Amino acid sequence: MNLYFPPFIYSFFLFTGTMITVSSSSLFGAWMGLEINLMSFIPMMINSENNKKSTESAIKYFLIQAIASGIVIFSALYFYFFNSSTLSQVPNMLITLALSMKLGMAPFHFWFPEVLEGLNWINSLILLTWQKISPLVILSLFFYSKILITLALTSALLGAISGINQTSMRKILAFSSISHLGWIGGMMYFNSSLWLDYFMVYSFTSFILCFSFWMLDLNYFSQLTMLKNLNAKFIIFINLLSLGGLPPLLGFLPKWMAMMVIKTSFPILMILILSSLITLYFYTRLCFSTFTLYIQSMTWFKKENSSMKNFFLLSILTFFSIIGIMPMSLLYL
Amino acid sequence: MTVLLFFMPMFMFLVGTWIYISKRKHLMNMLISLEYLVLSIFMLLMLVTFLMGLETYVSLIFLVASVCEGSLGVGMMVGMVRSHGSDYISSFNVLKC
């Protein structure tokens, strides 16, 4: 574990950009916050070393986000022109498409796993959670509902289906994030502000996952089957199933709230729940093969590899993930 | 006349987007077309501020932000030349899905 993190100064600008976006009273200020967010996250991605993976993911992220924020400010300016004509919904449609491109919702999701693959775990966590706040807030104010629900259902299905064959942990987290964005878009379609609670619980769950992957030095699925510590496997899989939304765990709570919101429309709810079942299927498959396959123990493994670093902290976080649904659901009674 | 004026930045933006997504051999091409997109948005912003009678200092803030973005792109192009050896987009092959 190395807490030395050189581009720490940029995290201040990252925070400032999101705060500018969520508190601005005009779309120009929101665009400004998006730009500050982008321009402070790029140096964090390159991260004081200049290798192929970080450069590639930074350039891909930059190209996508730059064109998307260009479309955002473009459609924001066309609000002035189209406000009293038959085309008055066109800027809303454009801004919905551009913000879903910034978020990585389904037809525009191809950059998201590739960018996430080239980052370390801290930046993966930032890209999965913090970078989504400002586009989601603007999207909740300016969405065009038909396009939004189409994108939401598509991203729920596509995130679930294309996550099936993945072996990289970052790509599994990326596709799971895409399908969670489907749920968030589905809640937004019903004008509910509960998507913020969904997003917060999702952020907590993916924080635990990224943190435990970082502590255990896990990047690929094959490393997971070779873990010698059974407690580490339990920690990883309780949190993975919680991210997928298995009922007694914490990750089921936001899906429960989403079901209560969406229950007026049966087909949307059915598509979302079925896609979530696909997600749970491949988590359970990973879990099954990890716990039942023969554990290879190489003789050249060092002795101290079997003891876990930060076991206490990870256990407490996993404990929150197990029983967290009980006090949290009392809050929403 | 004003309707024609509204649709001209839209035309410029569409042309810039077309160049951005189709001519992508070099990273430099993409960055230049991104600057062209910024110029079309700047023209639209000036039209809005003149027609609505607003203040024009917003365009200065816009120019500062977009120039920052363009220089960040050029800086990343330098980083790409240092790590990949060229600025071909097709040399991005480490992170394929």
Side-chain angles (χ1 to χ4, degrees):
Chain A
M1 175 184 171
N2 187 11
L3 276 180
Y4 173 65
F5 193 51
F8 186 71
I9 182 69
Y10 293 107
S11 59
F12 171 70
F13 295 105
L14 203 73
F15 182 76
T16 313
T18 305
M19 285 305 137
I20 287 174
T21 300
V22 303
S23 61
S24 72
S25 58
S26 70
L27 259 173
F28 188 81
W31 171 81
M32 198 70 215
L34 286 177
E35 290 288 303
I36 292 172
N37 222 338
L38 163 68
M39 286 187 279
S40 58
F41 191 50
I42 294 289
M44 294 180 77
M45 289 167 103
I46 291 185
N47 194 7
S48 79
E49 58 187 283
N50 204 359
N51 55 15
K52 274 192 162 185
K53 283 173 92 174
S54 64
T55 311
E56 182 175 336
S57 67
I59 288 176
K60 277 178 179 169
Y61 185 74
F62 173 78
L63 292 175
I64 292 291
Q65 299 287 318
I67 185 76
S69 39
I71 300 174
V72 166
I73 186 67
F74 177 77
S75 47
L77 289 172
Y78 268 99
F79 271 118
Y80 285 99
F81 291 152
F82 288 163
N83 54 2
S84 61
S85 65
T86 53
L87 297 174
S88 67
Q89 291 297 313
V90 170
N92 272 323
M93 294 180 194
L94 261 179
I95 216 165
T96 308
L97 289 173
L99 287 172
S100 57
M101 192 166 155
K102 280 185 95 73
L103 287 166
M105 285 175 91
F108 316 110
H109 72 287
F110 293 100
W111 62 274
F112 194 67
E114 300 186 12
V115 168
L116 204 71
E117 187 67 22
L119 303 179
N120 57 9
W121 282 114
I122 307 175
N123 289 331
S124 303
L125 180 64
I126 294 170
L127 183 60
L128 282 172
T129 60
W130 187 262
Q131 293 293 99
K132 289 197 191 319
I133 294 176
S134 40
L136 275 176
V137 168
I138 308 174
L139 188 64
S140 71
L141 298 174
F142 286 102
F143 66 87
Y144 183 74
S145 56
K146 289 194 179 70
I147 289 182
L148 180 73
I149 195 64
T150 312
L151 293 179
L153 294 182
T154 319
S155 62
L157 275 174
L158 254 167
I161 290 172
S162 44
I164 286 180
N165 245 348
Q166 302 299 325
T167 54
S168 164
M169 286 303 162
R170 288 185 175 87
K171 278 179 184 160
I172 286 176
L173 281 185
F175 286 117
S176 141
S177 159
I178 291 168
S179 76
H180 276 94
L181 275 179
W183 282 81
I184 290 175
M187 291 170 85
M188 234 179 238
Y189 173 73
F190 287 95
N191 281 319
S192 165
S193 62
L194 277 178
W195 66 267
L196 199 61
D197 299 325
Y198 191 105
F199 184 78
M200 278 160 59
V201 178
Y202 164 71
S203 302
F204 181 66
T205 318
S206 61
F207 161 70
I208 301 175
L209 262 180
C210 285
F211 189 69
S212 47
F213 284 149
W214 183 36
M215 284 298 136
L216 299 170
D217 283 332
L218 288 170
N219 294 312
Y220 295 99
F221 174 57
S222 57
Q223 294 172 334
L224 202 57
T225 59
M226 299 214 295
L227 269 181
K228 290 174 74 177
N229 197 339
L230 193 63
N231 292 325
K233 285 185 184 176
F234 271 113
I235 285 174
I236 294 292
F237 278 108
I238 284 170
N239 291 314
L240 261 185
L241 292 173
S242 163
L243 185 72
L246 198 70
L249 301 173
L250 179 61
F252 177 65
L253 177 72
K255 296 205 168 167
W256 195 9
M257 294 190 302
M259 286 175 208
M260 296 311 259
V261 171
I262 308 175
K263 70 184 174 188
T264 53
S265 166
F266 181 67
I268 295 173
L269 188 61
M270 190 185 67
I271 291 176
L272 288 177
I273 290 178
L274 285 182
S275 67
S276 181
L277 279 182
I278 299 174
T279 316
L280 268 179
Y281 163 69
F282 66 80
Y283 289 154
T284 318
R285 199 182 52 179
L286 290 182
C287 182
F288 188 71
S289 54
T290 306
F291 280 114
T292 55
L293 283 185
Y294 175 65
I295 301 174
Q296 303 170 346
S297 60
M298 309 284 187
T299 45
W300 56 81
F301 273 4
K302 281 186 288 184
K303 192 67 177 176
E304 60 265 21
N305 268 348
S306 61
S307 72
M308 263 176 66
K309 293 174 288 189
N310 290 66
F311 180 68
F312 185 67
L313 190 55
L314 288 183
S315 308
I316 286 184
L317 288 175
T318 311
F319 180 71
F320 281 141
S321 165
I322 293 173
I323 69 149
I325 193 168
M326 286 186 269
M328 291 287 282
S329 57
L330 285 182
L331 283 182
Y332 292 103
L333 274 181
Chain B
M1 184 58 201
T2 50
V3 172
L4 205 63
L5 223 52
F6 296 158
F7 280 100
M8 187 174 171
M10 182 179 280
F11 178 71
M12 285 171 68
F13 193 84
L14 287 179
V15 169
T17 313
W18 176 251
I19 297 299
Y20 188 76
I21 66 177
S22 64
K23 305 291 179 205
R24 51 176 200 277
K25 185 180 176 187
H26 294 277
L27 181 61
M28 195 67 200
N29 277 344
M30 300 185 75
L31 293 177
I32 288 172
S33 58
L34 197 67
E35 288 305 304
Y36 179 74
L37 284 179
V38 164
L39 279 184
S40 73
I41 297 169
F42 178 67
M43 181 181 172
L44 182 60
L45 187 67
M46 291 311 278
L47 276 177
V48 168
T49 46
F50 287 150
L51 287 171
M52 303 285 157
L54 302 173
E55 299 275 345
T56 51
Y57 66 90
V58 180
S59 64
L60 208 61
I61 301 174
F62 174 78
L63 277 185
V64 167
S66 51
V67 165
C68 277
E69 196 182 77
S71 64
L72 179 68
V74 173
M76 275 195 307
M77 192 188 70
V78 172
M80 184 186 168
V81 168
R82 284 170 67 89
S83 65
H84 286 72
S86 67
D87 70 336
Y88 290 142
I89 298 293
S90 59
S91 66
F92 282 159
N93 50 14
V94 188
L95 304 176
K96 284 285 173 59
C97 263

